[in-house]
Amino acid sequence: MNKLPLPNILSGSRLALAPLAFYLIDSLMWRAAAIVVLIAVLTDLLDGYLARRLQLESHWGGLLDHSSDALFVTVTLAALATQNLVPWVLPCIVIGAFLQYVLDSKAIQGQSLRASLLGRYNGIAYFVLAGWPVMQNGLNLHPVDDHWFLWASWALIASTSVSMLDRLVALRRARSGAHA
């Protein structure tokens, strides 16, 4: 019986943490939610590092990592939307962008995921925006007023839309070049 590599276990843990994060945020249990977000961030930092260090990198491990990130961030943002900290359109566009990323990359067919620079920055920004209000509520420190999260959300919605449009244009160019 093959054992699941540790990096994949760390990635997969975010799949289990996502519904817990939603429940804790929706129940206004901010300290516990902050711990869950911190664990999610740490597992995200560790999984890729360990995969490279232990020479366990794989296509499917990368897909699991990105899928776990997307699900965790989307569910956390949805929980924040229940508290009116971010607009509901943000978690919707995040999952749409991730699905486009996976399908466009043909990752399900075994090809490597191809992220654009803007897509990478958006991915980091999703985690920051999902984590910041949880952490500041969990620590009861509020250096950023809640209304700024709405503004940051709309900026991220705009940059995600640009990224998705860019991917669509690149895909159309690639297809029209293949047919030429």
Side-chain angles (χ1 to χ4, degrees):
M1 183 167 131
N2 288 339
K3 289 170 48 174
L4 196 59
L6 179 59
N8 291 359
I9 293 170
L10 292 172
S11 294
S13 71
R14 289 190 298 283
L15 297 174
L17 290 173
L20 179 59
F22 185 94
Y23 170 77
L24 294 171
I25 294 166
D26 191 51
S27 301
L28 302 177
M29 299 170 76
W30 292 110
R31 275 204 181 101
I35 292 167
V36 169
V37 167
L38 183 60
I39 292 168
V41 169
L42 291 175
T43 61
D44 189 32
L45 294 172
L46 276 175
D47 60 4
Y49 170 79
L50 288 174
R52 288 185 295 279
R53 180 96 169 147
L54 301 173
Q55 297 179 351
L56 295 171
E57 292 176 286
S58 72
H59 160 73
W60 294 110
L63 184 58
L64 175 62
D65 174 36
H66 287 278
S67 299
S68 298
D69 291 346
L71 180 73
F72 184 84
V73 166
T74 300
V75 168
T76 302
L77 289 170
L80 292 172
T82 68
Q83 303 305 317
N84 297 313
L85 291 168
V86 301
W88 273 102
V89 70
L90 183 59
C92 296
I93 200 168
V94 168
I95 204 67
F98 176 73
L99 290 172
Q100 180 193 31
Y101 171 52
V102 170
L103 295 173
D104 180 68
S105 298
K106 297 184 181 173
I108 295 170
Q109 289 93 355
Q111 294 188 24
S112 296
L113 289 166
R114 297 182 328 267
S116 67
L117 188 59
L118 180 56
R120 278 197 188 110
Y121 288 140
N122 282 342
I124 293 166
Y126 300 147
F127 247 116
V128 170
L129 186 57
W132 192 291
V134 174
M135 297 308 285
Q136 80 173 22
N137 279 297
L139 296 171
N140 203 23
L141 298 170
H142 298 272
V144 176
D145 191 62
D146 286 349
H147 79 275
W148 287 105
F149 298 126
L150 288 171
W151 287 105
S153 296
W154 287 109
L156 198 48
I157 289 163
S159 67
T160 301
S161 298
V162 168
S163 178
M164 291 175 76
L165 184 60
D166 181 56
R167 286 189 82 85
L168 185 60
V169 168
L171 180 63
R172 288 185 152 243
R173 280 191 190 134
R175 285 188 177 166
S176 67
H179 292 101

